[in-house]
Amino acid sequence: MFATGVTIVTTKGDDGVAVGMTANSFNSVSLDPPMVLWSLAKSARSLPAFSAAPYWNVHVLASDQDALSNRFARAGEDKFAGLPLEDCATGMPLLPGCSARFQCRSVFQYEGGDHIIFVGEVIAYDRAELAPLLYVSGAYAIAAHKGEPPKAAAAPQVGAFSEDMLGYLLGRAHYQFMARFRPMLAEKRISDPEFFLLSLLSVRQPMSLAEIAAHMADTGFETSEAVLDAACARGLLRRDSGGYSLSPAGSDAILHILAAAKAVEADLGGRIGALQGTALRQLLKTLVGTTDRGLPSLWA
Amino acid sequence: MFATGVTIVTTKGDDGVAVGMTANSFNSVSLDPPMVLWSLAKSARSLPAFSAAPYWNVHVLASDQDALSNRFARAGEDKFAGLPLEDCATGMPLLPGCSARFQCRSVFQYEGGDHIIFVGEVIAYDRAELAPLLYVSGAYAIAAHKGEPPKAAAAPQVGAFSEDMLGYLLGRAHYQFMARFRPMLAEKRISDPEFFLLSLLSVRQPMSLAEIAAHMADTGFETSEAVLDAACARGLLRRDSGGYSLSPAGSDAILHILAAAKAVEADLGGRIGALQGTALRQLLKTLVGTTDRGLPSLWA
């Protein structure tokens, strides 16, 4: 139940061979002097190397490094095979792409049951603006800052929708996002269903009526030959033997709308922060995957 | 950059007075025997009490316990004032409402720069199904499991919407949610805008045309006197001098739809898991707060 980051600790044995292992027992100990600790099982094959090593490096893994974590958590194989390594002053193996790295001088080794507690003094460190990988309740996770504590929720009303319902929150978040660039849709006299049609065909075209209808089905907007032909008559689409495509005017309109949507996206990303943006996208993808009724990927 | 859970460690001084402090330096050390560690600043006022104590308790805080964390992170006040405490065999203070708790016998105290490292043997523990509180990059956070690694994303197309855009993900998640209970709307011959109208008035009624229009604005659905009067004519709403309210038939319809929506909600909650559900709601609230254009709370 205790959440941790995930680290890989590396050193070199007397023979100069790089050794390393995944550890989530890492933590800070002291500010002055700067010291950190982690624990290693007495049964670990790398114990002799770490016990004798004057230095070791701790790598705090970024959220996309779970494969690297798995690699260094398994015994046996050559964990460093094919990995790019960076130079560092102590000569110990330094892995790229991490959220933070600590180069340490080994200072204390303490008894800790079936583990040895290694305490090191930090002699150099660096960090990158990369969201850290987490390990929580037995699985990898990502973090989302809590933000402001929610206002005291009103007592739930019987027989009414609550502001804590996922369906309400999804709808409101979606519509408030849409509202940010709907003035541009209004200016171009493009309705919501036309916007979805143009977006769809911007990703793949031409598409048949049946394909378009499949992708539009969940929106609740009517998608019939009459609707599509009306969009053709409005000059947004064109129809030929291959199906429906964007007209030059439709293509131009969706390019402008896309630019506006990207600006809204960038603005919101800045407001909620990178950590939240990453977590929200990940969770929405999980939810979309969970509620998908077998729609073929548009992007496949 | 290293993510941690948040704990409160408690003990009693020789005088029998409870002491406690927030620590995120906690970690597990050993499985056999079960041992954990945490670090305490040599300058801490509670150091004498912890140094002399034969036992201490570690509380892994749940995601709603940030106020408790803040309380035990500040020096000076009586941190335990007014707090309910539970009994435990060692007699040390035990706080309720946590994700996990460890009752420990103090075993080792090690030198660690400006801190002392306390190692304890776990003599009892319990846990609850409560998402843990995190501390990441200097702020409280909650965790969301990573789930399946996303399929290799197709190379982004120039001039097309991407499957990584927040706007796309919000829309798709919203519409796929709606699609789960739209069959019930169809059966009752209720359109999407009528569904939103009924939902709105289920929370608060009567409402004036202007109030309803303000709450419906971002959906893009037309809200005019003609539209509302049409809903009255359809028997869903009624209108009197106070504004618009649900008719008995409208009230009955929204109750049934609400039950269906709650069933979808519960089903999705089970599929994505409690940890993800909590994180997703929190993030959507943050996003909704960020993009809100000043809509008065329906529930206030």
Side-chain angles (χ1 to χ4, degrees):
Chain A
M1 296 302 293
F2 185 74
T4 64
V6 183
T7 69
I8 290 174
V9 193
T10 59
T11 193
K12 278 183 180 165
D14 283 340
D15 51 5
V17 173
V19 298
M21 42 99 57
T22 301
N24 70 340
S25 57
F26 172 79
N27 223 315
S28 59
V29 178
S30 171
L31 281 172
D32 182 20
M35 297 173 103
V36 298
L37 65 74
W38 59 285
S39 305
L40 181 61
K42 289 177 179 171
S43 61
R45 292 206 298 177
S46 55
L47 184 68
F50 278 108
S51 294
Y55 301 103
W56 32 259
N57 289 335
V58 179
H59 307 78
V60 177
L61 299 189
S63 61
D64 62 352
Q65 292 184 302
D66 34 348
L68 196 66
S69 168
N70 289 338
R71 178 175 184 157
F72 276 83
R74 279 191 291 267
E77 61 184 300
D78 178 5
K79 299 171 178 177
F80 291 91
L83 284 188
L85 292 178
E86 293 176 14
D87 287 332
C88 80
T90 65
M92 299 301 140
L94 198 59
L95 301 166
C98 305
S99 290
R101 302 185 295 194
F102 300 92
Q103 298 174 38
C104 299
R105 182 171 65 83
S106 197
V107 176
F108 301 120
Q109 296 179 34
Y110 291 134
E111 168 68 26
D114 58 15
H115 280 59
I116 298 291
I117 303 163
F118 284 82
V119 180
E121 183 175 350
V122 179
I123 53 179
Y125 69 91
D126 59 9
R127 54 170 287 187
E129 286 297 328
L130 295 171
L133 182 64
L134 271 65
Y135 195 72
V136 185
S137 302
Y140 292 121
I142 48 180
H145 280 146
K146 285 196 75 179
E148 291 304 302
K151 293 161 207 132
Q157 291 172 254
V158 176
F161 283 80
S162 121
E163 57 188 320
D164 208 45
M165 283 183 76
L166 201 50
Y168 163 74
L169 289 167
L170 285 171
R172 184 156 175 189
H174 165 61
Y175 285 127
Q176 287 190 183
F177 190 99
M178 285 287 296
R180 298 284 291 266
F181 62 95
R182 202 175 269 129
M184 172 166 255
L185 296 181
E187 186 189 298
K188 294 181 179 292
R189 304 186 155 278
I190 287 173
S191 68
D192 279 18
E194 285 169 345
F195 162 65
F196 289 119
L197 268 180
L198 294 175
S199 305
L200 184 63
L201 291 169
S202 82
V203 179
R204 188 149 58 84
Q205 57 180 344
M207 292 180 85
S208 68
L209 169 62
E211 289 175 301
I212 294 173
H215 283 286
M216 293 283 285
D218 285 348
T219 65
F221 292 118
E222 186 193 341
T223 313
S224 60
E225 188 165 8
V227 165
L228 295 185
D229 288 347
C232 292
R234 296 242 300 117
L236 297 170
L237 306 188
R238 62 182 180 198
R239 178 183 186 175
D240 61 23
S241 59
Y244 294 90
S245 310
L246 297 176
S247 70
S251 199
D252 182 68
I254 196 63
L255 265 180
H256 282 87
I257 296 167
L258 177 63
K262 282 188 173 167
V264 172
E265 186 101 3
D267 176 54
L268 288 194
R271 285 167 190 245
I272 68 173
L275 203 64
Q276 268 77 269
T278 303
L280 182 53
R281 281 183 182 81
Q282 169 74 44
L283 288 164
L284 288 172
K285 284 178 187 176
T286 301
L287 188 68
V288 163
T290 296
T291 54
D292 183 14
R293 295 185 294 177
L295 203 57
S297 168
L298 255 188
W299 287 271
Chain B
M1 298 304 292
F2 186 74
T4 65
V6 182
T7 70
I8 291 174
V9 193
T10 60
T11 193
K12 278 184 182 167
D14 283 339
D15 51 6
V17 174
V19 297
M21 43 99 58
T22 301
N24 69 341
S25 58
F26 172 79
N27 223 314
S28 59
V29 178
S30 171
L31 281 172
D32 182 20
M35 299 174 101
V36 298
L37 65 74
W38 59 285
S39 305
L40 181 61
K42 289 177 180 172
S43 61
R45 292 206 299 179
S46 55
L47 184 68
F50 279 108
S51 294
Y55 301 102
W56 32 259
N57 289 335
V58 180
H59 307 78
V60 177
L61 298 190
S63 61
D64 62 353
Q65 293 184 301
D66 34 349
L68 197 66
S69 168
N70 288 339
R71 177 176 184 155
F72 277 83
R74 280 191 291 266
E77 60 184 301
D78 178 6
K79 298 172 179 178
F80 291 90
L83 284 187
L85 293 177
E86 293 177 13
D87 286 332
C88 79
T90 64
M92 300 301 141
L94 199 59
L95 301 166
C98 305
S99 290
R101 301 185 296 195
F102 299 93
Q103 298 175 39
C104 300
R105 182 172 65 83
S106 198
V107 178
F108 302 120
Q109 297 179 35
Y110 292 133
E111 169 68 26
D114 58 16
H115 280 60
I116 298 291
I117 302 163
F118 284 83
V119 181
E121 182 174 350
V122 178
I123 54 178
Y125 68 91
D126 59 9
R127 55 169 289 185
E129 287 297 330
L130 296 171
L133 182 65
L134 272 64
Y135 195 71
V136 185
S137 302
Y140 292 121
I142 49 180
H145 279 147
K146 285 198 75 179
E148 292 304 302
K151 294 162 206 129
Q157 291 172 254
V158 177
F161 283 80
S162 118
E163 58 188 321
D164 208 44
M165 283 183 77
L166 201 50
Y168 162 74
L169 290 167
L170 285 170
R172 183 155 175 189
H174 165 61
Y175 285 128
Q176 286 189 183
F177 190 99
M178 286 285 297
R180 298 284 291 266
F181 64 95
R182 201 175 269 127
M184 172 166 256
L185 296 182
E187 187 188 298
K188 294 181 180 294
R189 304 186 154 276
I190 288 173
S191 68
D192 279 18
E194 285 170 345
F195 162 66
F196 289 119
L197 267 179
L198 294 174
S199 304
L200 184 63
L201 291 168
S202 82
V203 179
R204 187 150 60 83
Q205 58 180 342
M207 291 179 88
S208 68
L209 169 61
E211 288 174 302
I212 294 172
H215 283 285
M216 294 283 285
D218 285 348
T219 64
F221 291 120
E222 185 193 341
T223 312
S224 60
E225 188 165 6
V227 165
L228 295 185
D229 288 348
C232 293
R234 296 243 298 118
L236 297 171
L237 306 189
R238 63 182 178 197
R239 178 184 186 176
D240 61 25
S241 60
Y244 294 90
S245 309
L246 296 175
S247 71
S251 200
D252 182 67
I254 196 63
L255 266 180
H256 282 87
I257 295 167
L258 177 63
K262 282 188 173 167
V264 171
E265 186 101 3
D267 176 54
L268 289 194
R271 285 166 191 244
I272 69 173
L275 203 64
Q276 268 78 270
T278 304
L280 182 54
R281 280 182 182 79
Q282 170 73 46
L283 287 165
L284 288 171
K285 285 177 186 176
T286 301
L287 188 68
V288 163
T290 296
T291 53
D292 183 13
R293 294 186 295 177
L295 204 57
S297 169
L298 254 188
W299 286 272

